[in-house]
């Protein structure tokens, strides 16, 4: 049974550009850490640390295939964060729509522009 996604860990993991690039690379296909290493100008140890942080946040899944561990993206972890962002995005969009209505009403009341 999988544990619930910790949104704080997801946002923390997403705060680093290298980790976001790992997610981008794994968006369409799985890869081993060795395959990912060619895209980064950092040490293998540093890349491994980034992968572990993403795995700890449940953004990545690691599965043994043959003699390699293959990484894949767990989109459910990202979906939870997207839902949180969408909720607040909708709140602000609705607030700005209401503000536009109020501004529009005040202009029609003869208020100076």
């Amino acid at each position: 049974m999988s544990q619930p996604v910790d949104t704080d860990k997801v946002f923390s993991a997403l705060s680093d550009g290298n980790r976001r690039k790992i997610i981008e690379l794994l968006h369409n296909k799985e890869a081993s850490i060795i395959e990912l290493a060619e895209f980064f100008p950092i040490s293998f140890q540093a890349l491994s640390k980034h992968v572990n942080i993403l795995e700890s946040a449940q953004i990545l899944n690691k599965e043994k295939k043959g003699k390699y561990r293959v990484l894949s993206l767990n989109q459910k972890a990202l979906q939870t964060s997207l839902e949180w962002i969408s909720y607040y995005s909708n709140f602000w969009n609705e607030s700005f729509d209401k503000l536009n209505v109020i501004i529009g009403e005040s202009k029609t009341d003869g208020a100076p522009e």
Side-chain angles (χ1 to χ4, degrees):
M1 179 159 78
S2 66
Q3 296 180 334
V5 174
D6 183 339
T7 306
D8 289 341
K9 277 189 172 183
V10 172
F11 280 120
S12 179
L14 295 174
S15 70
D16 183 86
N18 288 313
R19 294 192 286 266
R20 290 191 303 272
K21 185 172 181 178
I22 292 169
I23 292 168
E24 288 173 24
L25 292 168
L26 294 174
H27 178 72
N28 291 319
K29 66 175 191 154
E30 57 187 33
S32 70
I33 193 166
I34 294 169
E35 293 170 317
L36 291 177
E38 67 185 71
F39 296 98
F40 294 90
I42 59 177
S43 70
F44 188 81
Q45 184 179 14
L47 180 60
S48 182
K49 182 178 176 182
H50 287 300
V51 165
N52 288 336
I53 290 169
L54 290 168
E55 189 178 13
S56 172
Q58 299 179 349
I59 296 171
L60 295 185
N61 296 317
K62 195 185 293 184
E63 181 182 347
K64 187 166 173 121
K65 289 190 177 179
K67 58 182 180 176
Y68 297 103
R69 299 211 186 283
V70 177
L71 304 168
S72 61
L73 193 59
N74 175 12
Q75 295 193 7
K76 182 177 181 175
L78 296 174
Q79 182 64 37
T80 301
S81 301
L82 180 60
E83 289 169 2
W84 187 90
I85 291 169
S86 293
Y87 172 80
Y88 286 98
S89 175
N90 291 337
F91 167 79
W92 284 109
N93 287 335
E94 289 172 9
S95 296
F96 287 130
D97 289 345
K98 290 175 186 175
L99 181 60
N100 283 334
V101 169
I102 292 169
I103 290 171
E105 289 173 355
S106 69
K107 285 185 179 181
T108 60
D109 290 344
E113 291 187 38

